[in-house]
Amino acid sequence: MAKRGLLLVAEDRWTSPYVLAVWAALHVKKLAFEVREISLSAGEQRAPELHAGLTARVPMLFHDDFVLSESSAIVEYLDEVFEGEPLLPTLPRERARARQVMHFIRSDLMPIREERSTETLFLGKPIAPLSPAAQDAAGKLFRAAAAVVAEAPAADRLFSMPTIADVDLAMVLMRLIGNGDAVPEPLTKFATAVWARPYVQSFVQHVR
Ligand SMILES: N[C@@H](CCC(=O)N[C@@H](CS)C(=O)NCC(=O)O)C(=O)O
């Protein structure tokens, strides 16, 4: 995999919310990059040439001789290394809140992530009504998201500039909205506005 430039390793079904975050980041920074699609079901994430990514998960980003996985680490790396539009807020408290939102979405809300997997959203996988555990998780998500959205300076972004935290929050809300689950109106408005961003739509509309 010795290669110059940027290479995003993605999965071939284009359903990964973590690939979406990096896809969005690369587009916001207006970076030229190549994509290598791999089949997770065939175990290609464990191929020897991807061992340098350390986690055998996508997304992975190859930047010249450096390889990184973990989407939020990749977003921060791109933000620090490349000029252009910021990916995270520049003010310390906003930046910390954005990181909090991103980490919360990646580490919590498991029942939503399982029962409203991105396959249900992007591939039409059938759903059942939310379990009590998923309803609890949705309540927790709505309370946290409503508090952040209520403080937001605009309807289509959480902070003083558009960020990847917006995309992450819209993605987790869309798991519910897109499946017809009840979501409070201000959160639906926020998620719908972020979903319309061209770099989100280019992922949503990607051939599957
Ligand atoms: N915390 C990681 C999660 C990445 C992740 O779980 N990716 C999934 C695809 S959505 C994956 O590569 N799964 C392959 C496997 O577990 O073998 C991130 O934010 O990048």
Side-chain angles (χ1 to χ4, degrees):
M1 298 288 298
K3 193 164 184 351
R4 306 305 292 175
L6 288 164
L7 171 73
L8 169 65
V9 181
E11 48 88 32
D12 57 4
R13 297 187 317 155
W14 291 90
T15 61
S16 170
Y18 313 109
V19 171
L20 166 60
V22 173
W23 175 267
L26 289 161
H27 281 85
V28 170
K29 286 288 185 194
K30 296 188 167 55
L31 295 166
F33 63 99
E34 289 181 32
V35 176
R36 175 176 163 193
E37 296 180 28
I38 62 168
S39 164
L40 297 180
S41 57
E44 289 175 12
Q45 66 275 31
R46 293 187 287 277
E49 71 269 25
L50 300 183
H51 284 178
L54 301 184
T55 62
R57 288 178 187 266
V58 296
M60 280 180 213
L61 184 79
F62 283 70
H63 180 208
D64 299 335
D65 56 352
F66 181 60
V67 192
L68 194 60
S69 62
E70 287 297 327
S71 54
S72 54
I74 297 171
V75 168
E76 296 223 18
Y77 174 74
L78 291 172
D79 212 13
E80 283 157 20
V81 167
F82 293 101
E83 303 203 328
E85 294 296 312
L87 303 174
L88 294 174
T90 46
L91 296 171
R93 289 188 179 183
E94 283 198 342
R95 196 169 173 94
R97 185 74 73 210
R99 287 178 170 135
Q100 181 188 18
V101 168
M102 294 171 77
H103 293 186
F104 170 60
I105 288 167
R106 282 166 179 71
S107 63
D108 205 315
L109 310 172
M110 193 44 101
I112 298 177
R113 289 193 273 151
E114 280 174 2
E115 294 178 32
R116 295 296 181 265
S117 71
T118 50
E119 282 87 353
T120 68
L121 186 64
F122 294 127
L123 303 177
K125 189 175 159 194
I127 57 165
L130 292 173
S131 68
Q135 288 176 31
D136 276 359
K140 187 176 183 183
L141 168 63
F142 296 159
R143 279 190 298 281
V148 187
V149 166
E151 301 260 293
D156 62 348
R157 55 187 159 86
L158 297 176
F159 304 109
S160 45
M161 60 193 68
T163 70
I164 304 302
D166 300 333
V167 177
D168 281 353
L169 184 57
M171 175 73 247
V172 71
L173 290 168
M174 273 298 168
R175 291 172 185 261
L176 299 164
I177 297 165
N179 277 304
D181 298 303
V183 173
E185 205 205 327
L187 302 184
T188 302
K189 267 189 168 168
F190 165 79
T192 308
V194 175
W195 214 239
R197 291 183 191 172
Y199 52 80
V200 176
Q201 277 302 301
S202 64
F203 183 93
V204 172
Q205 305 293 337
H206 203 285
V207 175
R208 296 186 167 84

